[in-house]
Amino acid sequence: MKIYVSRDMASVALGADDVAQAFADAGCEVIRTGSRGLFSIEPLVEVETADGRIGYGPVGPWDVAAVLDGSHPNRLGPVDQLSFFAGQQRFTFARCGVIDPVSLTDYAAKDGWKGLDAARALAPQAVVDAVKASGLRGRGGAGFPTGIKWQTVLDAPGAQKYIVCNADEGDSGTFADRMLMEGDPYCLIEGMAIAAHAVGGTQGYIYIRSEYPFAIYTMRLAIERAAHLIAPFTLEVREGAGAYVCGEETALLDSIEGKRGQVRAKPPLPALKGLFGQPTVINNVLSLAAVPFILAEGAEAYAAVGFGRSRGTMPVQLAGNVRHGGLYEIGFGITLGELVNDIGGGTANGRPVRAVQVGGPLGAYFPPSMFHLPFDYESFAAAGGLIGHAGITVFDDSVDMAHMARFAMEFCAAESCGKCTPCRIGSTRGVEIVDRIMAARPTPPSVMPAKAGISLPEGGAEEKRDPSLRWDDGGLSKALYSRSPARIDTSLDAQTTLLRDLCDTMKYGSLCALGGFTPYPVLSALDYFPEDFGATAPIKEAAE
Amino acid sequence: MDEFIEGWTARHGATRDQLLPLLHAVQEEAGYVQDAVVPLIARALNLSRADVHGVVTFYHDFRRTPAGRHVVKLCRAESCQARGGAAIEAAAAQRLGVAMGETRGDGAVSLEPVYCLGLCAVGPNALVDGRPMARIDTAALDRIAAEVAA
Ligand SMILES: Cc1cc2nc3c(=O)[nH]c(=O)nc-3n(C[C@H](O)[C@H](O)[C@H](O)COP(=O)(O)O)c2cc1C
Ligand code: SF4
Ligand code: FES
């Protein structure tokens, strides 16, 4: 009997390897796939029957007999007919969870290489035009039109041009890049090969964060197997080394070049002077993986779905305290509330949703009163947030938003590349200010129950750094503190004003979005959840 | 180490962009990037020591001292926090007998922070000696502690 079990890192973390082994031991032919993308039913097994693949999940290794005779209570029927999947528009993730990710036969049988074949039949300019017409915008966060970026590289003179895939996916609450690389690596390879044809690139790099060992393994294997199909274009995986800022495109390029991952000033644009000083396309995994569909099915088919200037689909990731977490690919325009409540099913523990953070550690926190927001670049920007890489992290009513604001500053301090002062030093000062606010607020409002009575080891990441390199020790720290703490006004009002002021400085005085966008989570927490910062009534000016 | 580095560069090349791959390889081979190998790497890639040192210290992944025999990397990022990560972090420190970011005195285990493993719907998550584990609760911590003790 043929059985399908995911080998996605999340499925394995939930025990999928043991399940697969148990079915293999029972004499089944086990095919390891990527994940379908709904983690509340994992580990999931699918049994091939005359009526198609029938899913059971979650199951454990002890469930083999009940699954094989069809009596298991967690029988789900055909998985793609579950409501979580039936409502999706899987343009990019069509094969993920369905096929054996590294089988070239499976890939070719499910429309694989159709986009590359179509592209190769076209002149480079025509490929760029198709990507422009699709309306595809960068899925890494900034939403820059991919076709325009490619045009710049196509037009740039250069002996050698590079295609770089940004697979650093450092945002908490996101995992779509990982799932695609583990579940359908040839799709990314095909997208990069199309980009190479479009701009005249001959060599490509996929920069994958070291926290993704499964993706690194799968991509390397897939590149080896597909090498002859993409030649003369060549591809190589480069492994990151645990630096969030290396997701920023110029820091990423420096990292590939073997340097500290520090952000470069722009201009020059990477499109003109990128990797090793040559014209370079750098795109997120999802941007590149959307391209095969666009070439195979036509730009109109892609652009036909979407909302406003956000065309096509977005693989949204539902994460955190959410009942049905996972990957939901859908055209832009669906509202935040539909995603969190209707599809995600609210919180996992049944408590009310209090806040969602959209777009990772640099994204804003929104309360349920903002759930009418349509998922669209412009709508989120107008509301003081961003969709970023489309991760949605759900928090229940026990969340302490001052604590989350503190964390945003702490994360920025730990990950700052150190190039600009507002980010490097401001973030540490930000942690201190939030600490003062937390100390001064009357009663910690909704302190996470689990936290009570436990003193958390704080500043873990920072401690890890070489103590000799800390910027806030010794003389410097004394100098900064000479103006504090005795002489500063530690009242809530003063500290809150100071925090806003600091956010302002970071926003306008930082070179990249790490320092520049850390104010988003901090200010949104302050604006929407003032009670957690000790304010009695919502702060007026905040509403604007 | 000199021989290892020589062999490695012979296979992968000695251009500057091989610095991170080489550092990963050295760390995999020796468990950490000892200060003493920095000059060797610098010479092999024709870089200054300060340059290599700067890279080693920039990236969180590279250790300059040996890790414990077991390494538990616990996610501290937002989505895991939303699922009770802070309490698990405190409990992990307590059960493993080591503070976050430290190696236990007897060298048995290091507890390290990681900022997201891309398993954000099933947290709190950890990598235990490279093995991903989801939905860490106190029972799971007991199993990890037992593994470390064995
Ligand atoms: C601090 C920081 C981290 C980033 N992390 C990522 C990342 O992990 N993945 C990504 O694709 N883009 C990331 N970006 C955005 C990239 O700089 C860049 O916009 C993107 O790779 C461009 O590709 P796209 O146009 O396909 O989105 C980050 C930006 C900043 C400032
Ligand atoms: S904002 Fe921060 S991370 Fe970005 S360039 Fe400046 S110091 Fe580096
Ligand atoms: S936040 Fe912990 S795995 Fe993503």
Side-chain angles (χ1 to χ4, degrees):
Chain A
M1 199 177 284
K2 239 186 194 173
I3 305 284
Y4 298 85
V5 183
S6 160
R7 57 176 210 181
D8 181 275
M9 186 163 154
S11 314
V12 170
L14 290 166
D17 279 354
D18 292 342
V19 172
Q21 188 60 48
F23 279 93
D25 290 346
C28 300
E29 182 192 347
V30 178
I31 294 155
R32 301 302 295 270
T33 63
S35 173
R36 292 272 195 172
L38 174 57
F39 295 110
S40 54
I41 60 168
E42 299 243 17
L44 165 74
V45 300
E46 291 177 68
V47 181
E48 189 149 280
T49 71
D51 307 324
R53 280 156 69 160
I54 303 299
Y56 297 82
V59 296
W62 48 83
D63 290 324
V64 173
V67 167
L68 292 180
D69 69 20
S71 67
H72 198 285
N74 291 351
R75 185 181 194 275
L76 302 166
V79 173
D80 43 16
Q81 286 168 29
L82 294 177
S83 65
F84 185 88
F85 296 103
Q88 298 195 40
Q89 291 165 303
R90 288 213 164 184
F91 289 3
T92 301
F93 279 80
R95 283 173 293 258
C96 190
V98 179
I99 63 167
D100 171 354
V102 287
S103 160
L104 281 170
T105 324
D106 277 19
Y107 187 68
K110 294 264 185 202
D111 295 336
W113 312 116
K114 243 173 95 174
L116 181 59
D117 290 342
R120 282 178 170 160
L122 296 171
Q125 184 61 56
V127 178
V128 172
D129 289 342
V131 174
K132 277 187 194 159
S134 74
L136 176 65
R137 292 166 69 178
R139 302 294 188 235
F144 188 82
T146 304
I148 295 179
K149 190 184 280 188
W150 288 18
Q151 184 73 59
T152 310
V153 180
L154 172 62
D155 295 340
Q160 164 103 45
K161 294 179 185 177
Y162 294 101
I163 313 297
V164 175
C165 172
N166 188 340
D168 200 50
E169 201 169 55
D171 292 358
S172 169
T174 65
F175 42 80
D177 295 353
R178 183 186 62 68
M179 276 184 60
L180 188 101
M181 290 189 287
E182 293 182 25
D184 195 12
Y186 295 128
C187 179
L188 175 57
I189 292 173
E190 183 176 354
M192 293 184 75
I194 294 170
H197 174 73
V199 304
T202 51
Q203 196 177 350
Y205 290 90
I206 306 175
Y207 186 93
I208 309 179
R209 64 202 297 257
S210 60
E211 291 85 346
Y212 284 0
F214 288 42
I216 292 171
Y217 170 84
T218 307
M219 278 315 316
R220 287 202 165 126
L221 184 62
I223 288 170
E224 204 179 293
R225 292 192 180 175
H228 64 289
L229 295 167
I230 57 169
F233 180 56
T234 57
L235 265 179
E236 194 183 314
V237 169
R238 283 298 170 91
E239 182 179 349
Y244 175 77
V245 73
C246 286
E248 196 283 332
E249 54 189 8
T250 59
L252 187 150
L253 296 176
D254 269 15
S255 187
I256 294 180
E257 291 179 10
K259 301 174 189 157
R260 294 160 67 92
Q262 276 185 319
V263 175
R264 302 177 185 172
K266 283 183 255 185
L269 291 174
L272 299 173
K273 255 174 142 3
L275 190 61
F276 306 117
Q278 301 300 315
T280 301
V281 166
I282 175 161
N283 275 127
N284 174 252
V285 173
L286 301 180
S287 316
L288 291 161
V291 171
F293 177 95
I294 292 167
L295 270 293
E297 307 299 324
E300 306 73 31
Y302 192 78
V305 301
F307 181 95
R309 286 174 48 218
S310 306
R311 306 315 309 170
T313 59
M314 189 73 212
V316 175
Q317 300 127 87
L318 296 168
N321 188 349
V322 61
R323 189 141 163 247
H324 298 299
L327 181 120
Y328 198 88
E329 183 176 352
I330 184 85
F332 286 94
I334 185 169
T335 67
L336 189 52
E338 285 173 284
L339 285 165
V340 173
N341 292 325
D342 303 346
I343 292 151
T347 61
N349 56 4
R351 300 180 69 123
V353 174
R354 179 149 188 255
V356 298
Q357 186 179 27
V358 184
L362 309 176
Y365 285 100
F366 290 113
S369 62
M370 296 298 283
F371 277 11
H372 59 277
L373 275 183
F375 220 75
D376 155 62
Y377 292 100
E378 277 67 38
S379 305
F380 268 70
L386 47 96
I387 64 172
H389 194 47
I392 301 178
T393 298
V394 181
F395 292 81
D396 71 16
D397 61 349
S398 67
V399 65
D400 175 356
M401 294 308 298
H403 177 81
M404 298 319 296
R406 182 191 193 281
F407 181 81
M409 287 290 190
E410 184 192 345
F411 183 75
C412 181
E415 300 297 333
S416 169
C417 87
K419 203 155 187 164
C420 24
T421 320
C423 169
R424 175 167 44 92
I425 295 180
S427 51
T428 301
R429 298 288 90 90
V431 172
E432 295 163 3
I433 297 174
V434 181
D435 277 342
R436 280 186 223 116
I437 292 176
M438 288 168 82
R441 64 184 179 183
T443 41
S446 46
V447 178
M448 284 182 262
K451 238 178 68 183
I454 300 168
S455 73
L456 297 176
E458 301 286 11
E462 218 179 302
E463 299 313 332
K464 231 191 87 176
R465 289 228 160 148
D466 178 356
S468 68
L469 291 177
R470 290 193 43 175
W471 55 78
D472 57 352
D473 64 350
L476 177 58
S477 143
K478 267 199 209 109
L480 288 163
Y481 269 97
S482 64
R483 284 174 274 124
S484 68
R487 262 185 276 168
I488 61 168
D489 180 355
T490 55
S491 73
L492 271 176
D493 274 0
Q495 292 298 314
T496 307
T497 309
L498 193 59
L499 184 60
R500 287 187 181 279
D501 201 49
L502 173 67
C503 282
D504 220 45
T505 306
M506 289 176 70
K507 211 163 159 177
Y508 299 106
S510 298
L511 183 57
C512 87
L514 182 48
F517 289 6
T518 292
Y520 278 121
V522 177
L523 290 175
S524 57
L526 205 49
D527 289 346
Y528 292 118
F529 308 93
E531 61 277 18
D532 286 19
F533 295 80
T536 39
I539 301 160
K540 271 250 180 60
E541 56 190 333
E544 288 142 13
Chain B
M1 253 304 137
D2 223 354
E3 229 170 86
F4 174 83
I5 293 169
E6 239 171 65
W8 194 93
T9 48
R11 265 172 290 129
H12 300 271
T15 45
R16 160 152 216 151
D17 68 294
Q18 294 298 342
L19 180 53
L20 261 74
L22 176 56
L23 287 171
H24 274 301
V26 165
Q27 180 150 306
E28 188 154 328
E29 174 75 12
Y32 67 115
V33 183
Q34 217 178 326
D35 283 348
V37 302
V38 166
L40 307 182
I41 292 172
R43 183 151 36 86
L45 300 188
N46 198 19
L47 300 169
S48 76
R49 287 178 199 196
D51 205 342
V52 175
H53 176 84
V55 171
V56 172
T57 51
F58 181 84
Y59 294 95
H60 296 296
D61 276 5
F62 300 127
R63 336 167 169 280
R64 296 171 61 204
T65 49
R69 286 188 296 283
H70 297 276
V71 177
V72 177
K73 294 191 182 198
L74 190 65
C75 178
R76 293 194 74 226
E78 291 91 337
S79 293
C80 283
Q81 288 192 35
R83 300 177 61 93
I88 287 300
E89 183 179 327
Q94 195 207 359
R95 266 166 226 241
L96 297 174
V98 57
M100 178 56 95
E102 307 270 324
T103 299
R104 203 163 79 188
D106 64 358
V109 59
S110 299
L111 178 62
E112 300 183 343
V114 58
Y115 292 93
C116 193
L117 294 164
L119 315 172
C120 321
V122 291
N125 300 305
L127 275 181
V128 179
D129 294 328
R131 230 171 52 243
M133 286 179 68
R135 296 196 186 123
I136 306 267
D137 52 13
T138 45
L141 288 176
D142 286 338
R143 284 197 298 277
I144 296 170
E147 218 176 282
V148 164

